[in-house]
Amino acid sequence: MTLMNPYLDPPLRIELPTPFSMGTVNAYLFLEPEPVLVDCGMSTAANKEALTAALGEHQLTIQDLKKLIITHAHVDHAGAAGWIADNSDTEIWVSNLVYPWVVDLESMWVSRINFIENILKLGGLPPERAAPYLAYMRQIDQIWEAVPADRVVRFPIEGELTFGGRTWQTLYAPGHTQTQSCFYHADSKVLISADMLLPIVPLPVIEQLVGGRDDRVLGLPQYLISMERFASLDVDTVYPGHGAPFTEHRAIIDQQRARIAARRSECLRLVQDGVDSVHALTETMYSHYPAVARMTGFSMMIGYLDLLLEDRSIKREITSDGRWRFFINK
């Protein structure tokens, strides 16, 4: 099945390097009626070189970009926005939820690290395992640059945006992160899905609710709700945040639902067997993964537990040593 669409010139996919396990992240370039970029990768030398080279293939530089549109506030999608703003007149377009992250990055990042550190403790992760992960997190701001507020244009999380010669519907897509928006053009049945729809289940990141409240976002339950909405869309081609564009988006959604359901059931069986902490559950379910990858599993495990708490299959309490304990709801 061809990925070309007769109603709209397809966005040009630019693969940008990351140091993460997913390999590359996608930016999408629209040439007409003016050069517009959706997402931009990180503020690393390799990313800047790759983006500069890709633009050069179309006789462009970052100075030619009229707009940079950010889908969500993660370093691999927004990290180079400050560099672009510093070296061009490009307008940096972000949703209202992304805005604090691009203009007040340092305080937002410190707040997130402190929040994650507390969740790791509640999850029972030993300090010697948490320390290198948190140390790595504290270095992320080295590859993520803030944007001056006067360079930023805000758009609502639900509404319309015009770029690439068409008016796109902006769709709020919480789950992977509460800051994510996607772009859908109904006439051409094209979806720029960011990290909402990927060939694999996107990680529900550990984050606190917008506004600095201490409540944790229930990422995986939110993701399942978002999938219901996106399954209802009439889509021919998906342009994801990672990996090649694909068709048959409902098949991807069905695969991910099945994967989540299987992992949820596996998590329930482990709790029934007496495995009672996030850390212990992660170590058991993901024992065949290297230690670094099990940090991803830790976040996914919290999501499966959230689903089990939501349907009252399990209960949770805080132990005397300050961690969550999970047990079957009898």
Side-chain angles (χ1 to χ4, degrees), residues 43-76:
S43 184
T44 63
N47 186 95
K48 295 171 184 177
E49 181 179 347
L51 180 56
T52 299
L55 293 174
E57 292 177 4
H58 303 280
Q59 293 73 54
L60 297 173
T61 69
I62 61 169
Q63 289 82 9
D64 296 306
L65 296 174
K66 299 303 181 184
K67 295 178 183 176
L68 166 63
I69 302 172
I70 300 297
T71 60
H72 60 290
H74 283 172
V75 63
D76 52 330

Side-chain angles (χ1 to χ4, degrees), residues 299-313:
S299 185
M300 290 301 304
M301 187 61 64
I302 289 177
Y304 302 134
L305 290 164
D306 284 340
L307 293 175
L308 293 170
L309 288 166
E310 186 177 60
D311 66 17
R312 300 185 179 181
S313 295

Side-chain angles (χ1 to χ4, degrees), residues 96-115:
N96 291 325
L97 294 179
V98 173
Y99 180 78
W101 283 93
V102 297
V103 302
D104 194 17
L105 175 62
E106 183 176 358
S107 66
M108 294 293 288
W109 192 245
V110 169
S111 178
R112 173 169 288 182
I113 291 172
N114 291 338
F115 185 79

Side-chain angles (χ1 to χ4, degrees), residues 9-27:
D9 289 338
L12 301 172
R13 178 189 177 206
I14 299 174
E15 287 189 83
L16 299 171
T18 80
F20 306 136
S21 59
M22 88 284 282
T24 61
V25 64
N26 294 330

Side-chain angles (χ1 to χ4, degrees), residues 7 12 39 85 91 95 109 168 244 285:
Y7 300 100
L12 301 172
D39 287 342
E91 294 179 345
S95 77
W109 192 245
W168 300 74
M285 188 181 292

Side-chain angles (χ1 to χ4, degrees), residues 28-319:
Y28 290 105
L29 176 65
F30 292 84
L31 298 176
E32 300 295 339
E34 60 185 12
V36 172
L37 192 67
V38 177
D39 287 342
C40 58
M42 304 176 179
S43 184
T44 63
N47 186 95
K48 295 171 184 177
E49 181 179 347
L51 180 56
T52 299
L55 293 174
E57 292 177 4
H58 303 280
Q59 293 73 54
L60 297 173
T61 69
I62 61 169
Q63 289 82 9
D64 296 306
L65 296 174
K66 299 303 181 184
K67 295 178 183 176
L68 166 63
I69 302 172
I70 300 297
T71 60
H72 60 290
H74 283 172
V75 63
D76 52 330
H77 295 262
W83 169 69
I84 291 173
D86 287 344
N87 292 278
S88 72
D89 294 326
T90 306
E91 294 179 345
I92 312 300
W93 284 62
V94 303
S95 77
N96 291 325
L97 294 179
V98 173
Y99 180 78
W101 283 93
V102 297
V103 302
D104 194 17
L105 175 62
E106 183 176 358
S107 66
M108 294 293 288
W109 192 245
V110 169
S111 178
R112 173 169 288 182
I113 291 172
N114 291 338
F115 185 79
I116 290 174
E117 184 173 16
N118 184 56
I119 297 299
L120 297 181
K121 291 177 182 176
L122 286 167
L125 190 71
E128 64 272 16
R129 288 283 296 277
Y133 176 72
L134 292 169
Y136 174 76
M137 292 282 287
R138 292 186 177 99
Q139 297 176 12
I140 290 292
D141 61 358
Q142 297 177 16
I143 53 176
W144 191 349
E145 296 182 29
V147 181
D150 62 357
R151 299 296 307 282
V152 178
V153 179
R154 288 195 268 186
F155 60 84
I157 59 174
E158 292 276 343
E160 292 182 342
L161 277 183
T162 299
F163 59 91
R166 296 292 187 272
T167 298
W168 300 74
Q169 185 180 356
T170 303
L171 303 177
Y172 183 46
H176 171 59
T177 170
Q178 63 183 325
T179 66
Q180 183 170 243
S181 292
C182 303
F183 308 115
Y184 175 58
H185 190 256
D187 289 346
S188 57
K189 303 179 182 180
V190 169
L191 175 66
I192 300 174
S193 72
D195 289 358
M196 172 61 213
L197 293 182
L198 300 173
I200 60 172
V201 177
L203 178 72
V205 299
I206 298 171
E207 58 184 359
Q208 63 198 113
L209 289 171
V210 170
R213 289 178 289 167
D214 290 336
D215 295 332
R216 180 175 55 82
V217 174
L218 304 182
L220 195 55
Q222 284 190 344
Y223 178 64
L224 290 174
I225 293 170
S226 292
M227 279 206 292
E228 291 287 340
R229 181 186 190 187
F230 278 73
S232 71
L233 298 178
D234 189 7
V235 175
D236 279 348
T237 308
V238 176
Y239 292 88
H242 303 274
F246 58 85
T247 59
E248 307 297 341
H249 79 296
R250 292 189 183 96
I252 293 290
I253 289 173
D254 288 344
Q255 291 171 11
Q256 294 188 359
R257 284 174 174 153
R259 177 68 170 175
I260 291 168
R263 285 296 199 186
R264 175 198 168 281
S265 296
E266 185 178 354
C267 180
L268 179 59
R269 289 193 297 271
L270 290 173
V271 175
Q272 288 171 331
D273 290 342
V275 186
D276 68 355
S277 73
V278 180
H279 172 61
L281 287 161
T282 303
E283 292 295 294
T284 303
M285 188 181 292
Y286 297 98
S287 59
H288 57 293
Y289 283 39
V292 173
R294 289 203 293 275
M295 287 306 304
T296 299
F298 187 96
S299 185
M300 290 301 304
M301 187 61 64
I302 289 177
Y304 302 134
L305 290 164
D306 284 340
L307 293 175
L308 293 170
L309 288 166
E310 186 177 60
D311 66 17
R312 300 185 179 181
S313 295
I314 65 173
K315 290 184 176 181
R316 181 181 66 198
E317 65 179 11
I318 296 182
T319 64

